[in-house]
Amino acid sequence: MTREIKDYWDENSKYYQEDSKIKIGIHYGPGAPFEDKLRLLGKLKGKKILEIGCGGAQCGIAMAKKGAKVTGIDQSIEQLNFAKNLADKNKVNIKLIKGTFQDLKKIKSNCYDIAFSAFAFQYSPDLLKLFKQINRILKKKGLFVFSLDHPFFRIINPKTLKSQGSYFKTGRYTEKTDSIDFVGYNNTVSELFNPLVKAGFIVEEMIEPDSRKKYAGDPWYNLWGLYTPKLLKIVPPTIIFKARKK
Ligand SMILES: C[S@@+](CC[C@H](N)C(=O)[O-])C[C@H]1O[C@@H](n2cnc3c(N)ncnc32)[C@H](O)[C@@H]1O
């Protein structure tokens, strides 16, 4: 159920943005280099891009500054309000849609060159359904690049640095917080890879950035007692996929 995830983000958007102070740029997540190093997206000028789970749209705004026509979708109105203000401050025009990525019906088929998502698909209860919709909205040979929690990351307890469960225990998990419980979904690597193939993508690259290094500008480094240098030396927090519609 994505309602609780939406409520969590509406409640926590302000703190998330204040804590992380994410700069305008195309990032992939904690412990990972930015797009200027990874170069997964190619030239962006004139490209039609859908940023999925755009949050504050720091990525989408950076893409728009490079001449792309960007639409961002997110289900949290608070995240979208932040994105709108940030886009205005940066004097770029991006279209923002409030909606869940579990239902992209309103988006026309075969109309985007690139679908991009940074750190949002760990909130998807059904990746195959999601990937099929993304395949539908992309043009032929359209690019699909996304990052999310590395499946190994949550098997180590950030405080004790000991195993806290099985890699194979996938699906929905919850974490108690001071406000609304945090809900996410764990996947194994094959549970990320196989639905991509089933949905009609060719996977061109899978990237596991070496999080033993600190990457310049990483807004999450050592944040929330979660992305600690000690933990990042043991397990990677981020995995990235580059796939293409057939
Ligand atoms: C960790 S934030 C990442 C935001 C942004 N991509 C970034 O990199 O800063 C995850 C975002 O996914 C959004 N999200 C979670 N589930 C969603 C859903 N089902 N549909 C649309 N957005 C969703 C949240 O509202 C939140 O803004």
Side-chain angles (χ1 to χ4, degrees):
M1 168 66 186
T2 58
R3 171 90 211 176
E4 52 207 337
I5 297 172
K6 178 195 150 318
D7 290 347
Y8 173 89
W9 278 99
D10 279 340
E11 176 104 358
N12 288 288
S13 167
K14 183 171 179 283
Y15 309 110
Y16 176 78
Q17 299 295 350
E18 278 173 9
D19 287 353
S20 57
K21 298 182 187 62
I22 303 169
K23 299 247 162 54
I24 302 298
I26 307 172
H27 59 245
Y28 286 98
F34 283 56
E35 169 63 13
D36 55 350
K37 292 275 173 313
L38 290 178
R39 299 187 176 277
L40 301 174
L41 298 172
K43 291 222 164 59
L44 297 181
K45 192 156 195 247
K47 295 280 165 65
K48 254 190 105 180
I49 301 179
L50 182 66
E51 186 186 7
I52 305 161
C54 63
Q58 290 88 351
C59 296
I61 292 169
M63 292 168 183
K65 283 188 165 190
K66 289 181 185 293
K69 257 186 101 184
V70 180
T71 300
I73 179 165
D74 201 287
Q75 64 173 356
S76 160
I77 191 68
E78 294 300 327
Q79 289 279 72
L80 289 174
N81 286 341
F82 183 92
K84 170 81 178 81
N85 285 333
L86 198 61
D88 289 350
K89 253 189 228 157
N90 281 275
K91 300 186 173 44
V92 296
N93 196 10
I94 62 172
K95 186 174 167 192
L96 294 166
I97 303 176
K98 183 178 176 308
T100 170
F101 53 57
Q102 288 305 133
D103 179 6
L104 297 177
K105 266 203 297 284
K106 283 189 195 138
I107 299 183
K108 278 197 220 146
S109 300
N110 308 310
C111 71
Y112 283 94
D113 299 293
I114 299 174
F116 171 89
S117 181
F119 249 72
F121 291 166
Q122 58 267 38
Y123 302 106
S124 172
D126 187 343
L127 287 172
L128 179 59
K129 183 176 172 201
L130 172 64
F131 293 165
K132 278 184 177 166
Q133 297 187 72
I134 292 169
N135 192 276
R136 179 184 61 75
I137 60 106
L138 278 171
K139 293 178 186 168
K140 195 174 168 192
K141 297 207 187 300
L143 193 59
F144 178 28
V145 175
F146 67 94
S147 66
L148 76 170
D149 281 340
H150 193 291
F152 291 175
F153 189 64
R154 284 184 191 274
I155 57 180
I156 302 290
N157 182 298
K159 288 200 183 93
T160 62
L161 301 181
K162 300 229 163 78
S163 159
Q164 62 180 3
S166 168
Y167 167 69
F168 296 104
K169 192 170 178 299
T170 59
R172 185 179 187 273
Y173 67 91
T174 56
E175 281 170 8
K176 288 259 162 260
T177 77
D178 293 339
S179 62
I180 295 163
D181 284 356
F182 180 91
V183 176
Y185 294 85
N186 282 323
N187 298 281
T188 60
V189 175
S190 57
E191 284 170 351
L192 300 176
F193 183 91
N194 291 336
L196 276 172
V197 177
K198 264 198 190 145
F201 287 101
I202 294 166
V203 180
E204 294 185 348
E205 226 176 311
M206 187 175 101
I207 299 123
E208 298 174 285
D210 182 347
S211 54
R212 292 171 300 178
K213 298 177 202 154
K214 182 181 179 205
Y215 297 101
D218 178 348
W220 300 278
Y221 191 79
N222 217 0
L223 200 59
W224 304 311
L226 182 61
Y227 301 112
T228 62
K230 276 188 182 162
L231 182 58
L232 266 52
K233 282 200 166 70
I234 305 172
V235 276
T238 298
I239 191 165
I240 308 167
F241 287 86
K242 176 180 177 182
R244 199 171 290 279
K245 178 170 174 170
K246 283 182 195 162

